Amino acid sequence: MNNNLYEQNYMHCIQCPRHCAVDRTKQTGFCREYEQVRIATACLHFGEEPLVTVHSGSGTIFFTGCTLRCSFCQNYQISQQGMGTEVSQQEFTRMCQKLQEKGAENINLITGSHHIPVIAAYIRHAKENGVTIPFAWNSSAYESVESLEFLKGLVDIWLPDLKTLNPLMSKELFGAEDYPSVAKKAIRWMISTSPMHITTKKKNGDTREKMLSGVIIRHLFLPGRMADTKMTLDWLKKHADTKSCISLMSQYTPVPFSQEHNASHITAFPNRLVNAEEDKELRAMIDDYDFNYLFYQDLSDDTSWLPDFNRKQPFSNSLATPVWHWKEGFV
């Protein structure tokens, strides 16, 4: 690894929009991470959008740390509690190779926004060593365009969140009042960088659509916050429809944060599952928008899918097949 990459991007870190400017070779930034790239798990995942999972699943790699501090993060063990271990460029490449060997439709990099320049070098090394399937960037969209430029030409598919366009909500729930303006700018850049290219893939007589390039924008509906979701969908209809896919998720689930990271302070909405009445109203709303390409998540009260990254299999068996774990290595 080029030492200049670390000197330029970690010794006065302004990789994310917070611009902490700390020396991450000596102390952590807001992301709670030093310069070392750490990963919690790698697995074939079947719970992503159909364009990404297709037949054989998405090759997901979960990075430790995050540039946000969401009060309801379902991956809080790795985003906020530090589960994971340092991974070299060579081991990352082996992970990608292993996922490809097992039939992964793509390599799906989850929450790596605080290590973009180094992850870009990791991707380049993987491509130079036989990884040919598309790379996907799965993030909160709380990223500067200047940092995203490192990934141009390396990432094929973008899976950004658009969590809210309400700065009061983002200040309380994410610790980032500027989230709406930052995310909109990042998503527009992603759309301009990767035009949609969707093909079909046939396996055992079953033909499914597969994204090779493009953007899938995700919005998680928060219980009791219909007006905020409408604000988000208004923006998506104006700026993203026909240029990207929209994914509206209804899976909000209270998570068991430890006492240190207790989510009980949430006051902006009721901390519960989405109810049937809200689901009905959401379905009517999206029918009115008539998006060109939209996924809508079926309502469910099953919370068994919530991950536990202490386990070799963090997800339920139907959702994922583990390939590598931070405690055990390759499995």
Side-chain angles (χ1 to χ4, degrees):
M1 180 65 66
N2 186 342
N3 287 334
N4 287 336
L5 199 59
Y6 284 93
E7 292 173 7
Q8 293 168 10
N9 295 286
Y10 287 96
M11 294 182 75
H12 183 78
C13 187
I14 55 171
Q15 290 185 50
C16 89
R18 295 188 186 278
H19 287 188
C20 291
V22 302
D23 184 349
R24 282 173 59 192
T25 66
K26 297 178 180 176
Q27 67 183 96
T28 62
F30 182 92
C31 58
R32 298 181 176 173
E33 291 298 303
Y34 290 96
E35 62 182 312
Q36 295 84 6
V37 173
R38 298 198 301 144
I39 293 174
T41 190
C43 58
L44 285 174
H45 203 293
F46 301 92
E48 304 282 54
E49 286 81 2
L51 288 175
V52 180
T53 57
V54 199
H55 295 288
S56 304
S58 181
T60 51
I61 296 177
F62 289 77
F63 292 89
T64 305
C66 186
T67 59
L68 294 180
R69 205 158 290 171
C70 296
S71 302
F72 49 81
C73 181
Q74 293 154 1
N75 296 339
Y76 67 93
Q77 292 170 311
I78 60 174
S79 66
Q80 299 180 34
Q81 294 183 345
M83 285 189 187
T85 192
E86 183 178 353
V87 170
S88 68
Q89 183 173 263
Q90 290 71 26
E91 190 169 14
F92 172 84
T93 292
R94 184 62 191 127
M95 275 183 212
C96 296
Q97 292 169 337
K98 195 76 172 176
L99 288 164
Q100 181 171 270
E101 289 165 11
K102 288 186 173 293
E105 306 284 354
N106 44 66
I107 303 296
N108 187 346
L109 306 178
I110 299 174
T111 318
S113 307
H114 46 297
H115 284 299
I116 288 179
V118 174
I119 292 175
Y122 277 31
I123 296 171
R124 191 172 292 106
H125 185 266
K127 286 176 174 285
E128 290 169 353
N129 285 272
V131 178
T132 58
I133 55 179
F135 275 82
W137 187 256
N138 189 330
S139 75
S140 68
Y142 191 62
E143 298 158 316
S144 70
V145 168
E146 291 76 16
S147 287
L148 290 172
E149 285 283 349
F150 281 97
L151 299 170
K152 194 171 185 177
L154 296 172
V155 166
D156 309 283
I157 300 166
W158 305 87
L159 305 171
D161 293 337
L162 187 55
K163 296 174 182 289
T164 184
L165 293 182
N166 183 340
L168 298 178
M169 286 277 286
S170 62
K171 181 179 180 179
E172 177 177 355
L173 301 177
F174 318 145
E177 189 173 4
D178 62 343
Y179 174 85
S181 59
V182 168
K184 286 189 293 185
K185 187 175 181 181
I187 288 171
R188 281 174 159 168
W189 180 90
M190 293 172 186
I191 290 172
S192 68
T193 300
S194 296
M196 280 205 298
H197 181 194
I198 297 172
T199 186
T200 56
K201 182 178 179 182
K202 189 173 184 178
K203 183 177 181 181
N204 299 327
D206 180 13
T207 301
R208 300 184 185 182
E209 289 186 311
K210 175 175 180 174
M211 178 174 276
L212 298 179
S213 172
V215 183
I216 300 176
I217 306 168
R218 295 161 162 177
H219 174 67
L220 175 67
F221 171 72
L222 300 177
R225 302 299 304 193
M226 195 70 68
D228 285 282
T229 286
K230 185 180 186 308
M231 189 190 311
T232 302
L233 294 178
D234 284 346
W235 188 88
L236 289 172
K237 181 65 180 179
K238 182 177 180 180
H239 298 284
D241 193 28
T242 72
K243 305 171 190 173
S244 63
C245 302
I246 312 303
S247 181
L248 184 57
M249 302 183 295
S250 59
Q251 68 183 40
Y252 177 84
T253 306
V255 291
F257 278 74
S258 68
Q259 187 174 359
E260 180 188 355
H261 303 280
N262 197 308
S264 63
H265 71 278
I266 292 176
T267 58
F269 61 93
N271 193 19
R272 57 162 172 78
L273 298 172
V274 174
N275 62 38
E277 184 179 343
E278 289 168 329
D279 180 64
K280 184 178 180 180
E281 190 173 348
L282 281 169
R283 288 179 179 273
M285 184 188 294
I286 59 176
D287 284 345
D288 291 340
Y289 281 98
D290 190 28
F291 283 104
N292 184 64
Y293 213 127
L294 179 136
F295 297 103
Y296 184 82
Q297 191 175 42
D298 289 334
L299 190 64
S300 173
D301 59 3
D302 178 15
T303 61
S304 64
W305 57 269
L306 281 171
D308 181 354
F309 293 94
N310 272 309
R311 303 190 310 239
K312 180 173 69 175
Q313 166 56 297
F315 303 91
S316 67
N317 288 332
S318 62
L319 273 181
T321 302
V323 168
W324 180 95
H325 187 259
W326 69 280
K327 289 182 178 179
E328 301 189 31
F330 289 99
V331 297

